[in-house]
Amino acid sequence: MRADLESSLATPELVFLSGAARRPRTPRPQASLWGFVSALVVLFVLGYAVFLCATEPGKFLHGTIFAALLTAGLMFPIRQIARSESTFDFGSIALIGLAMRFVGAVQRFSDASDGAVYFQVGRNLAVSFRALQFQVDTGRPIPGTGTLRYASGLAQVLTSDNMFASYIIWIGLSFGGCLLMYRAFAQGIVGGDRHRYAALLFCWPSLAFWPSSLGKEGFMLLGIGVATFGASCVFTGRGGRGLALLVVGITLTTLVRPHVSIIIVASLVVAVLAGRAKEGRSRLRAGARVTMMVFLLFAGALLAGRAATFFNVDRLGTNNVASVLEDTEDQTTQGGAGFSAATVRSPLDYPRAVVTVLFRPFVTEARGLNDRLAALEGTVLMVLMVLSYRRLAALPTKQGRQPLVLYALSYVLAFVFAFSSIGNFGILARQRVQVLPLFMMLLCLPAVGQAVSKHHKAPRFSAERRRATPHHSPVAAE
């Protein structure tokens, strides 16, 4: 009787007024070790900032204010992603990564090297920018180093010529690229281990250290992140948004390193041609394939000319590419951190090149503190790859035919080929940050034999949730 009465009272109008028809809130993850660690790390960074501002306020006070503003601004996208993840504490992981980058900026500031040069040139350019004169001579070519000098000048206008505050802006660029990389992985790879990828992406030491100063690494991470997220959007049926993001991302990388843009375009070609037409959320229909191929052919032709100008050759033919690799090897094998480069000249050279570009120096090859830290990180990464053998074994299966997986794999292989001619451990450690986020995607694939739900859905972020109706929302349906 009571059940019949409740059923009769449950009219649509009463259900709507009572709020029962609204989408249920996504369950929040319980308190975790990540939350405890993030609290400790944030407290440490706050104390460190107070100490720096008390001892050297002229250097760090302005930058600390910028760090607080940046943190406040990043909390919106961090919370937006965290709301979609009910299985782990994404917000705490992201905060730990951001705090690590602030500490990395302090360490890079104490040994500025290239960052000091970019700052000095940027401060001179800022004088013209403040007078609204934007056609200036950077002293270096654009695309290339001149782009970073120009961007540094704009940063000095915003920071009133404060070097540490400029570093904070670059942290914002690189961290934004990582956020986009995570979103690309979450929506583009069916069954991927998002918890593992978030921990690696945000808390990996070199990804926190090298991009946290005025330099090319932070700028490139942003461009690669935008392009990868755009590729993920295209592969999951959001072609219009994806193409726009690809144009922006490829433009950003072209302004600094056109050859990396060629790697992105070549990887996209492989993903479009060889990716499965439909795998979970990865939908790439015939019309989208044709559109993408036209776009990629046009972009490739344009980038080939840009890259040829960048390397001072007539065109990017086979002989010229070999010449560029040889010149790079000759220029980088000098100095205390130099070694015999593992340049790829045939497929048989690839295993040695992969080990060199991704993992070296070995512990036995380390000569200074920086080399030893790089060797330790490379050893940990190699052990992690070995332990991920069941995940890497998924590459020949249908899981490996997902377009974003093919894109990441193709990018890693092309990056190894392009950067195998570098014969300097210090340079390799810095350049490696441009490939680590894509390589880590491969280490977070679903393992062979792991059950992946046929109806697996990537997390929906708040903007997508607002567009979903209550009757068609996958969250409501559950």
Side-chain angles (χ1 to χ4, degrees):
M1 174 70 86
R2 182 178 179 181
D4 294 339
L5 179 61
E6 291 177 351
S7 176
S8 64
L9 291 176
T11 61
E13 293 79 3
L14 290 177
V15 170
F16 175 79
L17 292 174
S18 66
R22 290 178 296 180
R23 177 183 55 82
R25 295 176 62 87
T26 303
R28 305 292 301 139
Q30 300 297 318
S32 65
L33 179 61
W34 285 116
F36 176 72
V37 173
S38 69
L40 293 180
V41 171
V42 169
L43 287 175
F44 169 77
V45 170
L46 289 175
Y48 194 27
V50 171
F51 170 77
L52 293 174
C53 292
T55 53
E56 297 183 88
K59 292 183 178 180
F60 293 104
L61 181 58
H62 197 172
T64 302
I65 295 173
F66 263 69
L69 294 175
L70 175 64
T71 303
L74 287 173
M75 286 307 298
F76 174 74
I78 289 174
R79 291 183 63 186
Q80 190 179 36
I81 297 176
R83 288 195 189 100
S84 68
E85 296 291 1
S86 60
T87 58
F88 69 96
D89 191 355
F90 175 85
S92 294
I93 295 175
L95 285 178
I96 292 173
L98 186 59
M100 289 175 63
R101 284 157 175 78
F102 290 147
V103 175
V106 175
Q107 300 305 311
R108 295 300 309 276
F109 184 78
S110 62
D111 184 16
S113 60
D114 291 345
V117 176
Y118 286 125
F119 171 71
Q120 293 296 339
V121 176
R123 185 165 62 176
N124 295 333
L125 295 177
V127 176
S128 300
F129 293 159
R130 293 187 183 102
L132 301 181
Q133 297 176 4
F134 295 99
Q135 293 184 348
V136 295
D137 181 15
T138 64
R140 290 296 178 88
I142 298 176
T145 304
T147 301
L148 264 295
R149 293 185 170 188
Y150 196 97
S152 175
L154 296 176
Q156 304 323 311
V157 174
L158 295 175
T159 64
S160 299
D161 297 337
N162 186 279
M163 184 172 172
F164 187 65
S166 303
Y167 280 30
I168 300 301
I169 291 178
W170 253 246
I171 288 177
L173 299 181
S174 62
F175 193 82
C178 289
L179 286 174
L180 290 172
M181 203 80 68
Y182 176 80
R183 286 200 60 176
F185 177 86
Q187 78 174 6
I189 296 184
V190 177
D193 191 336
R194 301 195 296 271
H195 187 179
R196 189 186 214 199
Y197 187 64
L200 291 174
L201 182 64
F202 292 103
C203 301
W204 195 256
S206 61
L207 287 174
F209 181 74
W210 291 113
S212 300
S213 72
L214 283 172
K216 297 178 180 178
E217 290 75 27
F219 200 92
M220 290 299 295
L221 266 183
L222 175 63
I224 295 169
V226 173
T228 302
F229 182 52
S232 177
C233 289
V234 170
F235 298 150
T236 54
R238 302 172 178 87
R241 179 200 297 182
L243 282 175
L245 289 169
L246 280 173
V247 170
V248 173
I250 292 173
T251 300
L252 290 174
T253 55
T254 303
L255 288 172
V256 179
R257 291 189 173 120
H259 50 298
V260 174
S261 298
I262 292 179
I263 293 175
I264 293 173
V265 170
S267 303
L268 285 168
V269 170
V270 174
V272 170
L273 292 179
R276 292 178 65 89
K278 186 174 183 180
E279 178 63 39
R281 285 173 58 86
S282 298
R283 302 182 298 273
L284 195 57
R285 298 184 176 89
R289 289 179 188 271
V290 173
T291 303
M292 277 294 294
M293 286 306 303
V294 171
F295 166 76
L296 293 174
L297 289 174
F298 174 78
L302 183 63
L303 290 172
R306 293 289 186 182
T309 303
F310 181 79
F311 289 113
N312 293 319
V313 295
D314 295 333
R315 60 187 179 85
L316 284 185
T318 304
N319 294 332
N320 287 333
V321 169
S323 176
V324 168
L325 294 177
E326 290 175 1
D327 290 343
T328 302
E329 183 175 347
D330 293 339
Q331 294 171 9
T332 58
T333 51
Q334 304 171 8
F339 66 95
S340 178
T343 307
V344 175
R345 294 183 174 87
S346 74
L348 297 178
D349 296 326
Y350 245 101
R352 180 169 176 256
V354 168
V355 172
T356 298
V357 173
L358 295 179
F359 308 115
R360 290 178 70 185
F362 300 133
V363 176
T364 55
E365 298 172 318
R367 298 163 189 166
L369 177 61
N370 289 337
D371 279 358
R372 291 189 181 95
L373 293 175
L376 177 61
E377 183 182 81
T379 302
V380 173
L381 185 62
M382 186 179 295
V383 171
L384 181 63
M385 186 189 74
V386 173
L387 295 177
S388 304
Y389 70 95
R390 291 183 59 210
R391 298 176 185 273
L392 295 174
L395 290 174
T397 68
K398 67 177 183 178
Q399 288 292 330
R401 292 285 304 279
Q402 296 181 73
L404 192 63
V405 176
L406 287 174
Y407 166 80
L409 178 62
S410 302
Y411 183 96
V412 171
L413 295 177
F415 187 93
V416 167
F417 171 80
F419 287 80
S420 63
S421 59
I422 294 178
N424 186 288
F425 289 134
I427 297 175
L428 261 184
R430 296 181 61 167
Q431 304 291 347
R432 194 175 290 152
V433 302
Q434 300 169 90
V435 70
L436 284 177
L438 280 301
F439 178 64
M440 289 171 177
M441 284 188 181
L442 304 179
L443 303 182
C444 299
L445 296 176
V448 169
Q450 175 182 330
V452 177
S453 172
K454 180 180 179 181
H455 303 290
H456 171 86
K457 296 184 184 300
R460 282 183 175 268
F461 303 99
S462 60
E464 298 171 275
R465 285 174 175 164
R466 285 194 296 269
R467 288 195 297 269
T469 62
H471 297 290
H472 295 87
S473 169
V475 179
E478 295 171 1

